[in-house]
Amino acid sequence: MKVPFLDLKASFSEIQDDLEDAMLNSVRSGQYIGGDSLEYLPDDFKAFVGSDHCVGVANGLDALVLSLKVLGVGAGDEVIVPSNTFIATWLAVTQCGAIPVPVEPHIDTYNIDASLIEAKITDRTKAIIPVHLYGQAADLDEILILAKEYNLYVVEDAAQAHGASYNGRKIGSHGDLVTWSFYPGKNLGALGDGGAITTNNKDLAARLRVFRNYGSHERYVHSVLGANSRLDSLQAAILSVKLKYLKDWNERRSRIASIYNEEFKDLPITLPSVRTYNDSVWHLYCIRSKNRDEIRNGLSLLGVETLIHYPIPPHLQDAYRFLNFDKNAFPLAESIASELISIPIGPSLSDLQVDHVVKSMKKLVSGDI
Ligand SMILES: *Cc1c(COP(=O)(O)O)cnc(C)c1O
């Protein structure tokens, strides 16, 4: 049996008729940038996450960059980021000319450890970017209290957390701005690139709409040095269809996670840990083991595809050599990067495939093979 890490074709087939109708309607409408289909998605998505405003943009990285820019983050400013995240979080900061200031994660949830943030705040700190990694919200209350005390902005990177909640309230409007990616592999993914920013701040939403459209509030009148970062109408139409299924897909992920949690609980591997007040949407199911390569190779021989999110933390990437971080600068991020394995948890996995992952893992880790 084969268990691909993520089967995007299977997800497409599940709702193919709906998707094809929406795509044809969009293409036949003659409106390719802007237009009606683009209007639905932001309305639907803001209703889904419970925010007052939603601004569509070209991708998740742009959502972060535009957010920092409208908040006035620029050259010489410092922005607090997790030491363990997808590199986009850091790239957004450096694209604005600002400096990423990394903070280590909790070793159980892998989210930024809010208790370590205060020590990194300086006169130049402008913002904190918590990332809701792998589908679970970061320590938002602690972060929002610190931000208020030090007069900092909070931009949440929610690229992995569509539908997640924190203390019973959906992610989407806790911080000043919340950024989303609709990259195909995310819990809500387009059939191409896409992104959005949600917020309860009307003024920021208005500035983002101008900024993403060449800094123009009226055709050929440009008030700021904006960008071209609009959400494509075709992708918006596709996302409106997929959004209707998101709740079911997240529930399916959650059921698979419960099965893994139960079946793996006695194995000598570290399982994911979710805070009692969090509702995770299980973007990824990551386990930790010192025998990572052995487990991955064994699973691969049994047809189970795994990935590593992420094998090299940003501070050790060549791209960030100029920041002069040594090896061991962020030991938790480094040890997580050397031990983590993501196993398949996509919503289109069949019961048989889930069962195969469970049996394979048990065989391998208890040494019966
Ligand atoms: C996917 C992702 C992004 C970037 O999204 P793109 O749409 O690929 O630009 C940013 N942050 C995190 C945590 C992500 O997982």
Side-chain angles (χ1 to χ4, degrees):
M1 174 171 311
K2 285 259 177 286
V3 187
F5 184 74
L6 185 66
D7 192 348
L8 291 173
K9 208 167 158 187
S11 302
F12 177 77
S13 307
E14 262 176 53
I15 55 168
Q16 183 161 356
D17 290 347
D18 274 8
L19 284 173
E20 288 179 355
D21 281 351
M23 285 190 272
L24 264 182
N25 282 338
S26 171
V27 171
R28 285 175 175 160
S29 76
Q31 293 179 303
Y32 306 117
I33 298 282
D36 288 344
S37 49
L38 184 52
E39 293 315 310
Y40 301 133
L41 177 77
D43 284 351
D44 295 348
F45 195 64
K46 78 185 189 201
F48 180 80
V49 305
S51 67
D52 292 343
H53 309 277
C54 174
V55 181
V57 294
N59 56 62
L61 173 59
D62 275 9
L64 283 164
V65 174
L66 268 57
S67 293
L68 294 174
K69 289 206 166 156
V70 297
L71 293 171
V73 173
D77 291 337
E78 293 176 1
V79 177
I80 308 242
V81 293
S83 57
N84 63 319
T85 178
F86 179 55
I87 197 163
T89 318
W90 286 45
L91 285 175
V93 176
T94 39
Q95 277 196 21
C96 293
I99 301 153
V101 176
V103 167
E104 290 266 73
H106 293 289
I107 191 62
D108 54 348
T109 63
Y110 310 123
N111 272 327
I112 192 168
D113 183 343
S115 71
L116 304 177
I117 292 177
E118 193 167 17
K120 300 288 183 91
I121 296 173
T122 72
D123 290 348
R124 294 193 295 178
T125 311
K126 279 279 161 57
I128 306 171
I129 312 184
V131 179
H132 306 312
L133 206 62
Y134 310 148
Q136 169 172 212
D139 303 341
L140 280 172
D141 282 347
E142 291 89 331
I143 291 168
L144 291 167
I145 288 169
L146 270 178
K148 199 162 180 190
E149 192 179 334
Y150 289 91
N151 206 14
L152 307 175
Y153 295 112
V154 174
V155 176
E156 299 167 58
D157 182 343
Q160 304 189 359
H162 313 74
S165 40
Y166 174 80
N167 258 330
R169 187 176 137 208
K170 280 244 175 74
I171 294 302
S173 57
H174 292 81
D176 296 285
L177 294 167
V178 184
T179 69
W180 305 90
S181 161
F182 303 125
Y183 176 78
K186 309 294 188 189
N187 286 39
L188 177 62
L191 302 179
D193 277 312
I197 301 148
T198 57
T199 180
N200 282 349
N201 186 316
K202 190 174 166 200
D203 175 53
L204 287 177
R207 278 154 63 193
L208 282 165
R209 282 194 189 94
V210 168
F211 205 95
R212 70 165 173 192
N213 188 31
Y214 289 111
S216 169
H217 55 282
E218 186 188 330
R219 189 174 276 196
Y220 305 129
V221 182
H222 303 270
S223 48
V224 288
L225 296 175
N228 173 6
S229 183
R230 297 166 296 214
L231 177 63
D232 187 282
S233 308
L234 181 61
Q235 297 305 337
I238 289 162
L239 287 164
S240 283
V241 170
K242 293 185 90 176
L243 182 56
K244 292 190 234 143
Y245 298 89
L246 181 58
K247 189 163 172 282
D248 287 349
W249 288 335
N250 282 345
E251 280 168 11
R252 173 76 182 147
R253 286 174 186 273
S254 179
R255 269 203 305 283
I256 298 171
S258 313
I259 293 171
Y260 288 163
N261 286 339
E262 177 58 28
E263 296 285 344
F264 299 158
K265 68 177 191 293
D266 297 325
L267 299 184
I269 52 178
T270 307
L271 300 184
S273 165
V274 178
R275 299 269 188 256
T276 50
Y277 48 80
N278 270 338
D279 199 1
S280 174
V281 289
W282 296 102
H283 174 60
L284 296 172
Y285 189 95
C286 302
I287 60 164
R288 242 172 50 234
S289 168
K290 298 221 184 298
N291 305 321
R292 183 204 11 229
D293 293 344
E294 241 175 285
I295 295 177
R296 288 195 76 207
N297 289 337
L299 286 173
S300 167
L301 289 174
L302 295 169
V304 178
E305 188 187 0
T306 59
L307 291 176
I308 299 173
H309 298 91
Y310 299 91
I312 307 171
H315 71 280
L316 297 180
Q317 298 282 358
D318 283 347
Y320 280 116
R321 210 180 281 164
F322 71 96
L323 292 175
N324 292 319
F325 288 120
D326 293 330
K327 195 153 168 49
N328 275 325
F330 300 99
L332 280 181
E334 290 173 32
S335 98
I336 290 168
S338 70
E339 295 182 2
L340 222 53
I341 315 173
S342 306
I343 63 174
I345 194 170
S348 51
L349 287 184
S350 68
D351 291 350
L352 280 176
Q353 286 176 311
V354 173
D355 195 51
H356 183 67
V357 174
V358 166
K359 292 206 170 103
S360 305
M361 183 73 90
K362 282 181 158 171
K363 247 192 227 167
L364 276 167
V365 180
S366 50
D368 293 355
I369 205 168

